[in-house]
Amino acid sequence: MPLSAEEKRIRKLEAQKKWREKNKEKIAEYKKEYDKENKDKIAEYQKSPQRIKSTIISGWKKSGLVHEDYDALYKTYIETNECNVCKKVFETSFERCMDHDHTTGLFRQILCRNCNNMDNWKKKI
Ligand SMILES: [Zn+2]
């Protein structure tokens, strides 16, 4: 006797349900794999220039640095390759220090760690 459309539909659903039960682990594995892929995407985003930029700028804001145009300041920051005072060339971006007035918060200049720590620049200006 041929199956009715409704019976076929029910059988199909049951088969799918059975398949899912039988392949629970496989499905979980797929999900895990999917999450892992997303994690990579997130990690990729963390390393992206936009992300680095926003992390750096939010760091400045947290430290109390005030500037009217953070985008422009960031551009200056990445394009500055030497200390504004002693002219030491920066080898890594971590050597760049954003010097700002601790009273007003206003950005002053970009310094090497040494000048920033020693306040050397004060003697030169
Ligand atoms: Zn310096």
Side-chain angles (χ1 to χ4, degrees), residues 2 26 30 37 39 41 43-44 53-54 109 113 122:
K26 225 186 228 173
Y30 282 143
E37 266 171 42
K39 219 183 266 170
K41 270 184 206 161
E44 202 61 39
K53 180 180 170 181
S54 70
Q109 57 202 339
R113 294 222 167 268
K122 278 182 181 166

Side-chain angles (χ1 to χ4, degrees), residues 83-88 90 111-116 120:
C83 173
N84 287 165
V85 171
C86 73
K87 306 298 175 196
K88 179 189 183 293
F90 299 131
L111 300 175
C112 70
R113 294 222 167 268
N114 201 34
C115 288
N116 193 47
N120 275 348

